[in-house]
Amino acid sequence: KRVAIFISGGGSNMVSLLDSMTGDHPARPCLVLSNKADAGGLARAAERGVPTAVVDHKPFGGDREAFQEALQAELENAAPDILCLAGFMRVLTGSFTSRWEGRMLNIHPSLLPKYRGLHTHARALEAGDAEHGCTVHEVTAELDDGPILGQATVPVLPGDTPDALAARVLVQEHRLYPAVLRRFAGGNREMLRLSEA
Ligand code: GRF
């Protein structure tokens, strides 16, 4: 299976995915694409010999469809079987997600369906949750709402700040996403539950 990964920033999840696709893993990376030319993850992908591309969303203004057509053109080249969003910060509309339905994953830093959208760690702290975590789900037209493929939980600790909690969740993201991708690439869509080791 060929995997394309979309990023917008440092790409720590992308690195975890790249480094997991070795040996008898059924998938290999074919592209890392960013909507930001200065995304740190692009250099980390290039270091690992993975082709990269940039499709800057800004020249398209608010024309999401045109931006998505440009994304699709890059994907036609790379011909991935699976698309992994990893810290990709652009909302994708139904015309794009419908083309990739069932073949596109995303990682979200909360225990969905709680806290769709942004600022998830602050919201979990605000709510006084004892537990928090991350979710890998299939991407649909609804934001952060597709079928859940895996979740990892962490405890919320006294005195946690959003940054401390985010850092604890990120460690689990780097465990969960590779584990879910390996199963998904092998055709296994059973829900995976991890808890902090
Ligand atoms: C992380 O907080 C992750 O939860 C979210 O995007 C942020 C950056 O991820 N998906 P990465 O380091 O760019 O993979």
Side-chain angles (χ1 to χ4, degrees), residues 138-163:
E138 292 189 43
V139 176
T140 60
E142 290 301 308
L143 184 69
D144 300 330
D145 187 50
I148 291 176
L149 293 170
Q151 292 196 312
T153 60
V154 299
V156 177
L157 301 175
D160 263 346
T161 60
D163 285 353

Side-chain angles (χ1 to χ4, degrees), residues 31 34 42 46 52 57 66 72 85 93 108 114 117 123 155 158 176 187:
L31 177 69
S34 178
L42 290 168
T52 62
H57 62 279
Q72 191 60 30
L85 307 182
T93 68
H108 179 76
K114 294 177 88 166
R123 290 157 66 191
L176 180 69

Side-chain angles (χ1 to χ4, degrees), residues 81-98:
D81 303 294
I82 298 171
L83 202 39
C84 289
L85 307 182
F88 186 66
M89 302 310 276
R90 303 302 297 169
V91 168
L92 297 166
T93 68
S95 59
F96 186 88
T97 61
S98 57

Side-chain angles (χ1 to χ4, degrees), residues 21-129:
M21 286 186 263
T22 59
D24 65 352
H25 191 299
R28 287 295 184 275
C30 64
L31 177 69
V32 168
L33 180 148
S34 178
N35 63 302
K36 293 175 74 74
D38 62 351
L42 290 168
R44 300 167 85 178
E47 275 161 25
R48 289 163 173 79
V50 180
T52 62
V54 173
V55 179
D56 187 340
H57 62 279
K58 289 193 290 299
F60 297 98
D63 186 346
R64 286 187 188 280
E65 298 306 314
F67 169 60
Q68 289 171 172
E69 282 312 309
L71 293 177
Q72 191 60 30
E74 287 295 341
L75 291 174
E76 244 110 66
N77 273 341
D81 303 294
I82 298 171
L83 202 39
C84 289
L85 307 182
F88 186 66
M89 302 310 276
R90 303 302 297 169
V91 168
L92 297 166
T93 68
S95 59
F96 186 88
T97 61
S98 57
R99 282 187 217 217
W100 291 93
E101 189 113 19
R103 300 186 291 157
M104 179 160 50
L105 308 182
N106 180 48
I107 187 155
H108 179 76
S110 79
L111 294 175
L112 291 173
K114 294 177 88 166
Y115 315 128
R116 293 189 176 90
L118 298 173
H119 313 302
T120 62
H121 312 297
R123 290 157 66 191
L125 288 171
E126 183 63 33
D129 293 351

